[in-house]
């Protein structure tokens, strides 16, 4: 059961606001006194997820649920979806456009970084409908 | 140039090395604890240490979000690149010092290392 739940909207191609949801979540966790190692991992996952939605996902949202023993991040969008999830999870694989690559995105590190930094990770996607990513973080995790 | 804690502030460093502060001046008293170089945002997001000065050639607005999320001290745009207007606006809004350096990232990193900003990332090798 979530003690606190917040929702933030993410808009396609909105690079000006991209990252703001993750910054708000980071500040919230900080105010709650969550350990910096956990905040760092949540911030990495939130940022990568937000950038994925901005670049590939159409419109979407990021929901954070703070529970007594864990934090849940849910990133959901109504974009084009991912046809081959294992391929999308491969380090270095990216479908980012040339323009995004010039901006320093599209290294094919986003989804693998999210999986690496979360304590639990699940992704499902339907082509033409969108993608959901769920990540859990244990508040007692020793993971750095 | 160093204060009692042995770490330079952004302002002190800018003066010492001739870096131009283009935005976010209200954060120029922040202390520089560490350094990082990178133009690939996933790499910087995953590995840049808190309190660092980040050297990059990227000038678009998203670099400010990365700097805030990683709790950086400042951003330096190297290689003579110019920040976008939106980047300047966001850096001013957030009080993240945004500096410019006409030379290469490598050259500036060398200068920072020489004055004791060693960039020893505790996450190195992970």
């Amino acid at each position: 059961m979530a003690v606190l739940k917040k929702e933030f909207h993410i808009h396609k191609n909105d690079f000006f606001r991209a990252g703001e949801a993750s910054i708000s979540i980071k500040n919230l966790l900080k105010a709650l006194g969550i350990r910096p190692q956990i905040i760092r991992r949540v911030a990495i996952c939130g940022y990568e997820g937000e950038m994925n939605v901005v670049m590939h996902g159409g419109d979407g949202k990021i929901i954070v649920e703070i529970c007594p023993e864990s934090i849940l991040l849910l990133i959901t969008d109504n974009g084009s979806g991912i046809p081959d999830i294992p391929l999308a999870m491969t380090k270095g694989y990216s479908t980012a456009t040339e323009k995004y690559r010039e901006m320093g995105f599209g290294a094919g590190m986003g989804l693998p970084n999210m999986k690496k930094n979360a304590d639990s990770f699940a992704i499902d996607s339907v082509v033409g409908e969108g993608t959901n990513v769920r990540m859990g973080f244990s508040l007692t995790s020793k993971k750095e | 140039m160093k204060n009692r804690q042995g770490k330079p502030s952004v302002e002190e460093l800018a003066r010492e090395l001739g870096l131009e502060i283009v935005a976010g001046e209200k954060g120029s008293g922040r202390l520089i604890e560490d350094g990082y170089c990178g133009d690939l945002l996933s790499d910087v997001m995953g590995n840049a240490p808190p309190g660092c000065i980040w050297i990059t050639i990227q000038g678009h607005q998203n670099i400010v979000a990365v700097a805030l999320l990683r709790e950086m001290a400042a951003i330096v745009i190297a290689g003579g690149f110019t920040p976008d207007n939106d980047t300047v606006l966001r850096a001013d809004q957030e009080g993240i010092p945004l500096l410019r350096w006409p030379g290469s990232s490598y050259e500036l990193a060398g200068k920072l290392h020489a004055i004791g900003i060693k960039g020893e990332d505790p996450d190195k090798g992970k």
Side-chain angles (χ1 to χ4, degrees), chain A residues 5-10 20-23 25 42-43 45-50 53 60-65 72-77 114 133 135:
Chain A
K5 184 175 171 176
K6 285 210 173 235
E7 196 174 303
F8 304 86
H9 288 269
I10 313 168
E20 269 183 16
S22 302
I23 293 165
I25 292 169
V42 174
C45 293
Y47 174 77
E48 294 287 6
E50 265 190 87
V53 176
K61 58 190 173 185
I62 176 165
I63 299 165
V64 60
E65 286 185 17
L72 187 72
L73 267 191
L74 175 65
I75 300 164
T76 176
D77 70 62
M114 289 156 82
V133 179
M135 290 168 284

Side-chain angles (χ1 to χ4, degrees), chain A residues 14-20 22-23 26-27 30 40 43-45 47-48 50-51 101-107 109-110 113 116-117 144, chain B residues 39-48 50 58 60-71 85-87 89-90 93-94 123 126:
Chain A
D14 186 354
F15 281 92
F16 191 72
R17 279 183 292 176
E20 269 183 16
S22 302
I23 293 165
K26 190 194 79 155
N27 291 339
K30 218 172 167 178
R40 182 182 149 269
I44 293 171
C45 293
Y47 174 77
E48 294 287 6
E50 265 190 87
M51 295 322 298
R101 287 172 202 258
E102 279 172 15
M103 291 171 78
F105 301 107
M109 289 166 75
N113 267 357
K116 184 178 115 184
N117 281 288
E144 296 292 313
Chain B
D39 307 315
L40 211 52
L41 300 189
S42 281
D43 167 60
V44 176
M45 189 59 216
N47 298 309
Q58 296 293 351
H60 60 78
Q61 66 250 26
N62 205 248
I63 61 174
V64 179
V66 172
L68 285 170
L69 281 165
R70 293 307 305 202
E71 305 195 336
N85 291 339
D86 283 346
T87 312
L89 192 72
R90 278 214 73 181
Q93 271 172 5
E94 304 291 349
D123 293 335
K126 278 188 191 166

